[in-house]
Amino acid sequence: MRLCRFNSDQLGLLDGDQIADVSAALDTLPAHRWSAAFADPVIARLPKLMSTLESRAASAPRLALGAVTLEAPVARPSKIIGAPVNYHAHLDEAQQDRDLHQGRTVHPIDEIGCFLKAGSSLIGSGATIDLPAGMDRVDYEGEVAVIIGRPAKAVQAADALAYVAGFALALDMTVRGKQDRSMRKSCDGFSVLGPALVTPDAIADTAAIPFELQVNGAVRQSADTSLLIRSVPELIEMCSTFYTLHPGDVIMTGTPAGVGPVQPGDEIAVTSPDLGRLTLRVQ
Ligand code: MN
Protein backbone atom coordinates (compact mmCIF):
# COMPACT_ATOMS: atom_id res chain seq x y z
CA MET A 1 0.00 0.00 0.00
CA ARG A 2 1.16 3.52 -0.91
CA LEU A 3 -0.48 5.94 1.49
CA CYS A 4 -0.34 9.66 0.73
CA ARG A 5 -1.72 12.88 2.16
CA PHE A 6 -2.73 15.67 -0.19
CA ASN A 7 -4.74 18.91 -0.57
CA SER A 8 -4.85 19.81 3.16
CA ASP A 9 -5.15 16.52 5.04
CA GLN A 10 -6.96 14.44 2.41
CA LEU A 11 -6.01 10.76 2.39
CA GLY A 12 -5.15 8.86 -0.77
CA LEU A 13 -3.72 5.62 -2.08
CA LEU A 14 -1.12 6.25 -4.76
CA ASP A 15 -1.54 4.03 -7.82
CA GLY A 16 0.87 4.88 -10.63
CA ASP A 17 0.08 8.45 -11.72
CA GLN A 18 -3.31 8.41 -10.01
CA ILE A 19 -4.54 8.83 -6.45
CA ALA A 20 -7.61 7.01 -5.13
CA ASP A 21 -9.24 9.50 -2.75
CA VAL A 22 -10.11 7.47 0.36
CA SER A 23 -10.58 10.52 2.61
CA ALA A 24 -14.05 9.29 3.58
CA ALA A 25 -12.29 6.69 5.75
CA LEU A 26 -11.07 9.55 7.97
CA ASP A 27 -14.64 9.87 9.27
CA THR A 28 -13.99 6.76 11.36
CA LEU A 29 -11.21 8.49 13.34
CA PRO A 30 -11.96 10.00 16.76
CA ALA A 31 -12.31 13.80 16.76
CA HIS A 32 -10.01 15.17 19.45
CA ARG A 33 -9.42 18.83 20.08
CA TRP A 34 -6.04 18.28 21.65
CA SER A 35 -4.91 14.75 20.92
CA ALA A 36 -3.78 12.91 24.04
CA ALA A 37 -1.04 11.15 22.12
CA PHE A 38 1.82 12.21 19.90
CA ALA A 39 0.78 9.58 17.40
CA ASP A 40 -0.27 10.29 13.82
CA PRO A 41 -3.89 9.02 14.02
CA VAL A 42 -3.90 7.35 10.60
CA ILE A 43 -0.54 5.62 10.93
CA ALA A 44 -1.32 4.49 14.49
CA ARG A 45 -4.46 2.73 13.15
CA LEU A 46 -2.97 1.54 9.87
CA PRO A 47 -3.03 -2.22 10.63
CA LYS A 48 -6.81 -1.98 11.23
CA LEU A 49 -7.43 0.58 8.47
CA MET A 50 -5.58 -1.15 5.63
CA SER A 51 -8.37 -3.51 4.57
CA THR A 52 -10.94 -0.67 4.77
CA LEU A 53 -8.75 1.61 2.69
CA GLU A 54 -8.13 -1.06 0.07
CA SER A 55 -11.82 -1.88 -0.30
CA ARG A 56 -12.77 1.81 -0.48
CA ALA A 57 -10.06 2.49 -3.05
CA ALA A 58 -11.78 0.24 -5.59
CA SER A 59 -14.72 2.64 -5.93
CA ALA A 60 -13.05 5.86 -4.72
CA PRO A 61 -12.84 9.01 -6.86
CA ARG A 62 -9.61 9.07 -8.88
CA LEU A 63 -7.41 12.13 -9.16
CA ALA A 64 -4.39 12.68 -11.36
CA LEU A 65 -1.22 12.79 -9.25
CA GLY A 66 -0.12 15.88 -11.16
CA ALA A 67 -3.32 17.72 -10.23
CA VAL A 68 -2.94 17.55 -6.44
CA THR A 69 -0.62 19.10 -3.88
CA LEU A 70 1.13 16.32 -2.02
CA GLU A 71 1.89 16.74 1.67
CA ALA A 72 4.26 14.60 3.72
CA PRO A 73 2.62 11.18 4.29
CA VAL A 74 3.06 11.80 8.04
CA ALA A 75 1.27 14.73 9.67
CA ARG A 76 3.10 16.55 12.46
CA PRO A 77 5.39 13.75 13.75
CA SER A 78 6.66 14.02 17.32
CA LYS A 79 10.20 13.56 16.00
CA ILE A 80 12.07 13.76 12.73
CA ILE A 81 15.30 11.94 13.45
CA GLY A 82 18.41 12.12 11.31
CA ALA A 83 21.32 9.69 11.09
CA PRO A 84 24.65 11.48 10.54
CA VAL A 85 27.28 9.96 8.23
CA ASN A 86 25.70 6.51 8.01
CA TYR A 87 27.33 5.32 4.74
CA HIS A 88 31.07 4.54 4.62
CA ALA A 89 31.58 6.38 1.31
CA HIS A 90 29.90 9.52 2.71
CA LEU A 91 32.03 9.24 5.88
CA ASP A 92 35.11 9.26 3.65
CA GLU A 93 34.01 12.35 1.66
CA ALA A 94 32.92 14.17 4.86
CA GLN A 95 36.33 13.59 6.46
CA GLN A 96 38.24 14.70 3.34
CA ASP A 97 36.24 17.77 2.25
CA ARG A 98 36.61 20.86 4.45
CA ASP A 99 33.44 22.39 2.97
CA LEU A 100 31.59 19.41 4.42
CA HIS A 101 33.29 19.00 7.81
CA GLN A 102 33.75 22.75 8.44
CA GLY A 103 36.82 22.09 10.57
CA ARG A 104 35.00 19.72 12.89
CA THR A 105 36.01 16.14 13.57
CA VAL A 106 33.57 13.81 11.80
CA HIS A 107 32.60 11.24 14.43
CA PRO A 108 31.14 7.85 13.52
CA ILE A 109 27.42 7.40 14.20
CA ASP A 110 28.19 4.86 16.94
CA GLU A 111 29.85 7.65 18.95
CA ILE A 112 27.47 10.56 18.44
CA GLY A 113 24.13 8.85 17.78
CA CYS A 114 21.32 10.59 15.92
CA PHE A 115 20.06 14.18 15.75
CA LEU A 116 16.65 15.88 15.56
CA LYS A 117 15.16 18.12 12.88
CA ALA A 118 12.30 20.55 13.57
CA GLY A 119 8.84 19.17 12.77
CA SER A 120 8.00 22.49 11.11
CA SER A 121 10.57 21.74 8.40
CA LEU A 122 8.46 18.85 7.01
CA ILE A 123 6.93 19.15 3.52
CA GLY A 124 5.75 16.81 0.77
CA SER A 125 6.99 15.92 -2.69
CA GLY A 126 6.57 18.44 -5.47
CA ALA A 127 7.08 21.48 -3.27
CA THR A 128 9.27 24.50 -3.91
CA ILE A 129 11.51 25.89 -1.18
CA ASP A 130 13.21 29.25 -0.83
CA LEU A 131 16.87 29.05 0.05
CA PRO A 132 17.34 30.79 3.41
CA ALA A 133 18.92 34.22 3.12
CA GLY A 134 22.56 34.67 4.07
CA MET A 135 23.62 31.02 3.91
CA ASP A 136 26.78 30.30 1.93
CA ARG A 137 25.87 26.78 0.93
CA VAL A 138 22.81 24.54 1.11
CA ASP A 139 23.19 20.86 0.16
CA TYR A 140 20.81 18.12 -0.90
CA GLU A 141 21.02 14.80 0.97
CA GLY A 142 18.95 12.06 -0.65
CA GLU A 143 17.86 9.39 1.83
CA VAL A 144 15.47 6.56 2.60
CA ALA A 145 13.26 7.27 5.61
CA VAL A 146 11.57 4.76 7.86
CA ILE A 147 8.25 5.63 9.52
CA ILE A 148 7.38 4.15 12.90
CA GLY A 149 4.03 2.39 13.24
CA ARG A 150 3.62 1.70 16.96
CA PRO A 151 5.19 2.94 20.21
CA ALA A 152 8.76 1.69 20.48
CA LYS A 153 10.85 1.95 23.65
CA ALA A 154 14.06 -0.03 24.24
CA VAL A 155 13.39 -2.22 21.21
CA GLN A 156 16.01 -4.76 20.16
CA ALA A 157 17.17 -4.68 16.54
CA ALA A 158 15.99 -8.25 16.01
CA ASP A 159 12.42 -7.16 16.81
CA ALA A 160 12.54 -3.69 15.27
CA LEU A 161 10.86 -4.28 11.90
CA ALA A 162 7.63 -5.13 13.74
CA TYR A 163 7.50 -1.44 14.75
CA VAL A 164 7.79 -0.12 11.18
CA ALA A 165 4.72 1.28 9.36
CA GLY A 166 6.58 1.85 6.13
CA PHE A 167 9.27 3.60 4.17
CA ALA A 168 9.47 6.75 2.05
CA LEU A 169 12.00 8.76 0.11
CA ALA A 170 13.41 11.82 1.84
CA LEU A 171 15.56 14.88 1.36
CA ASP A 172 17.51 16.02 4.42
CA MET A 173 18.34 19.53 3.21
CA THR A 174 21.34 20.95 5.03
CA VAL A 175 23.14 24.27 5.47
CA ARG A 176 26.92 23.75 5.47
CA GLY A 177 28.21 26.04 8.21
CA LYS A 178 29.34 26.31 11.79
CA GLN A 179 25.84 26.16 13.29
CA ASP A 180 24.52 23.20 15.22
CA ARG A 181 22.86 20.47 13.11
CA SER A 182 19.49 21.18 14.72
CA MET A 183 19.57 24.66 13.13
CA ARG A 184 21.29 23.81 9.87
CA LYS A 185 18.80 21.08 9.01
CA SER A 186 15.58 22.66 10.30
CA CYS A 187 14.90 25.60 7.96
CA ASP A 188 11.37 25.68 6.53
CA GLY A 189 11.03 22.95 3.90
CA PHE A 190 14.30 21.23 4.79
CA SER A 191 12.64 17.85 5.50
CA VAL A 192 10.97 16.51 2.37
CA LEU A 193 9.11 13.20 2.66
CA GLY A 194 7.15 11.22 0.11
CA PRO A 195 5.62 10.78 -2.31
CA ALA A 196 3.87 8.16 -0.16
CA LEU A 197 4.35 5.91 2.85
CA VAL A 198 5.03 2.50 1.28
CA THR A 199 4.19 -0.43 3.52
CA PRO A 200 6.83 -3.19 3.84
CA ASP A 201 4.71 -5.74 1.95
CA ALA A 202 5.04 -3.55 -1.18
CA ILE A 203 8.87 -3.46 -1.00
CA ALA A 204 11.00 -6.14 -2.63
CA ASP A 205 13.67 -6.25 0.12
CA THR A 206 13.38 -3.81 3.03
CA ALA A 207 17.05 -4.46 3.90
CA ALA A 208 18.24 -3.30 0.46
CA ILE A 209 16.08 -0.48 -0.89
CA PRO A 210 17.79 1.07 -3.93
CA PHE A 211 17.56 4.81 -4.56
CA GLU A 212 19.11 7.52 -6.67
CA LEU A 213 19.25 11.32 -6.56
CA GLN A 214 19.34 13.54 -9.62
CA VAL A 215 19.88 17.29 -9.89
CA ASN A 216 18.44 18.68 -13.12
CA GLY A 217 18.47 15.14 -14.54
CA ALA A 218 22.12 14.36 -13.70
CA VAL A 219 22.70 11.47 -11.27
CA ARG A 220 24.60 12.62 -8.16
CA GLN A 221 23.87 9.91 -5.58
CA SER A 222 23.13 6.21 -5.99
CA ALA A 223 23.04 3.59 -3.24
CA ASP A 224 20.89 1.08 -1.47
CA THR A 225 20.13 0.66 2.20
CA SER A 226 22.16 -2.56 2.52
CA LEU A 227 25.19 -0.20 2.52
CA LEU A 228 24.10 1.63 5.70
CA ILE A 229 26.69 1.56 8.51
CA ARG A 230 23.82 1.24 11.00
CA SER A 231 20.84 -0.56 9.48
CA VAL A 232 17.20 0.40 9.93
CA PRO A 233 16.70 -2.15 12.78
CA GLU A 234 19.91 -0.94 14.46
CA LEU A 235 18.80 2.72 14.17
CA ILE A 236 15.46 1.86 15.79
CA GLU A 237 17.30 0.08 18.62
CA MET A 238 19.68 3.02 19.06
CA CYS A 239 16.97 5.70 19.05
CA SER A 240 14.45 3.81 21.18
CA THR A 241 17.12 3.42 23.86
CA PHE A 242 16.98 7.19 24.37
CA TYR A 243 13.33 8.06 23.74
CA THR A 244 10.01 6.47 22.88
CA LEU A 245 9.34 6.39 19.17
CA HIS A 246 5.70 7.23 18.41
CA PRO A 247 3.53 6.24 15.43
CA GLY A 248 4.44 8.63 12.63
CA ASP A 249 7.94 9.38 13.87
CA VAL A 250 10.38 9.57 10.97
CA ILE A 251 13.97 8.34 10.90
CA MET A 252 15.96 9.62 7.93
CA THR A 253 18.52 6.86 7.67
CA GLY A 254 21.45 8.83 6.24
CA THR A 255 22.80 10.00 2.92
CA PRO A 256 25.32 8.19 0.70
CA ALA A 257 28.31 9.79 -1.03
CA GLY A 258 27.81 12.50 -3.60
CA VAL A 259 26.26 15.33 -1.59
CA GLY A 260 26.56 18.76 -3.12
CA PRO A 261 25.17 22.30 -3.16
CA VAL A 262 21.93 23.45 -4.75
CA GLN A 263 21.28 26.67 -6.66
CA PRO A 264 18.08 28.61 -7.29
CA GLY A 265 16.24 26.98 -10.19
CA ASP A 266 17.49 23.46 -9.43
CA GLU A 267 15.08 20.55 -9.70
CA ILE A 268 16.00 17.68 -7.37
CA ALA A 269 14.52 14.20 -7.79
CA VAL A 270 15.00 11.15 -5.56
CA THR A 271 13.74 7.94 -7.14
CA SER A 272 13.44 4.30 -6.14
CA PRO A 273 11.75 1.35 -7.86
CA ASP A 274 10.20 0.53 -4.48
CA LEU A 275 9.35 3.99 -3.15
CA GLY A 276 8.52 6.07 -6.22
CA ARG A 277 9.67 9.55 -7.12
CA LEU A 278 10.17 12.53 -4.78
CA THR A 279 10.83 15.97 -6.25
CA LEU A 280 11.80 19.37 -4.89
CA ARG A 281 12.34 22.67 -6.67
CA VAL A 282 14.70 25.26 -5.21
CA GLN A 283 14.27 28.97 -5.74
MN1 MN B 1 21.24 13.38 6.32
Side-chain angles (χ1 to χ4, degrees):
M1 177 177 289
R2 297 168 184 273
L3 198 74
C4 64
R5 203 163 58 92
F6 66 99
N7 293 1
S8 303
D9 286 338
Q10 302 302 298
L11 185 65
L13 298 190
L14 186 57
D15 180 11
D17 60 1
Q18 289 193 324
I19 290 176
D21 183 349
V22 291
S23 304
L26 295 172
D27 294 343
T28 64
L29 299 184
H32 292 303
R33 291 193 171 172
W34 289 276
S35 172
F38 286 113
D40 179 297
V42 174
I43 292 170
R45 292 169 178 78
L46 199 52
K48 289 180 184 167
L49 271 177
M50 277 178 78
S51 61
T52 304
L53 296 178
E54 273 166 356
S55 60
R56 282 177 183 264
S59 57
R62 292 254 162 179
L63 304 166
L65 176 59
V68 308
T69 300
L70 284 177
E71 294 160 334
V74 178
R76 299 169 281 282
S78 85
K79 291 182 284 299
I80 303 170
I81 299 162
V85 285
N86 199 21
Y87 287 87
H88 288 291
H90 178 55
L91 177 61
D92 293 343
E93 73 178 357
Q95 286 173 331
Q96 289 161 16
D97 185 344
R98 189 176 176 86
D99 284 344
L100 296 183
H101 66 63
Q102 295 283 319
R104 290 179 289 237
T105 303
V106 179
H107 294 280
I109 187 170
D110 284 344
E111 291 179 14
I112 63 167
C114 292
F115 59 88
L116 293 174
K117 292 166 67 85
S120 54
S121 67
L122 185 62
I123 60 171
S125 175
T128 299
I129 62 168
D130 296 313
L131 290 181
M135 303 296 172
D136 288 340
R137 173 171 164 171
V138 173
D139 278 20
Y140 57 80
E141 293 190 357
E143 312 201 0
V144 168
V146 58
I147 297 149
I148 298 298
R150 58 191 180 99
K153 176 69 178 173
V155 168
Q156 298 296 304
D159 306 321
L161 288 178
Y163 294 81
V164 169
F167 295 81
L169 293 168
L171 277 165
D172 173 19
M173 300 300 290
T174 301
V175 170
R176 299 294 173 207
K178 298 290 188 189
Q179 304 89 343
D180 188 80
R181 271 195 181 88
S182 59
M183 287 191 75
R184 291 189 290 110
K185 291 171 173 282
S186 289
C187 304
D188 292 348
F190 269 31
S191 300
V192 195
L193 191 71
L197 180 161
V198 182
T199 51
D201 58 285
I203 295 173
D205 180 359
T206 59
I209 300 173
F211 66 106
E212 185 177 277
L213 179 139
Q214 299 176 0
V215 179
N216 305 323
V219 177
R220 300 288 179 81
Q221 295 186 289
S222 182
D224 77 71
T225 56
S226 73
L227 301 170
L228 287 167
I229 295 172
R230 285 289 162 231
S231 67
V232 166
E234 289 169 336
L235 289 171
I236 291 171
E237 177 176 319
M238 176 193 294
C239 292
S240 72
T241 301
F242 285 84
Y243 34 56
T244 301
L245 301 174
H246 296 283
D249 278 2
V250 177
I251 304 176
M252 294 190 180
T253 59
T255 200
V259 299
V262 296
Q263 309 296 335
D266 280 350
E267 177 93 29
I268 305 165
V270 190
T271 62
S272 164
D274 292 304
L275 304 180
R277 177 181 175 87
L278 172 89
T279 64
L280 178 72
R281 182 176 287 275
V282 176
Q283 67 182 14

